[in-house]
Amino acid sequence: MCPDCEDFLRTVFLLGQLALYADTSHADEDFVVSVASSLAVSLPEPPPGVFPPDGDPDDGLDYPGESS
């Protein structure tokens, strides 16, 4: 696996684990906010193939009831 792919996957995994922790009853909210923002900022470029090649990052997602 390429180094960037490994970093991306590890960071996404850590964000997921943090989200699970944040959902517990005794979660430290200050810790969650600090670590989540640090992890999000440290995300490397996503590996090739994660997003569609013709996707526009500024377009956003279509939500139910909305048309493109």
Side-chain angles (χ1 to χ4, degrees), residues 24-48:
T24 63
S25 60
H26 294 43
D28 180 345
E29 192 171 321
D30 292 333
F31 172 79
V32 172
V33 169
S34 298
V35 173
S37 58
S38 296
L39 283 172
V41 167
S42 73
L43 272 172
E45 283 291 318

Side-chain angles (χ1 to χ4, degrees), residues 2-9 41-48 50-51:
C2 68
D4 290 340
C5 297
E6 187 176 336
D7 288 345
F8 180 79
L9 293 175
V41 167
S42 73
L43 272 172
E45 283 291 318
V50 172
F51 297 110

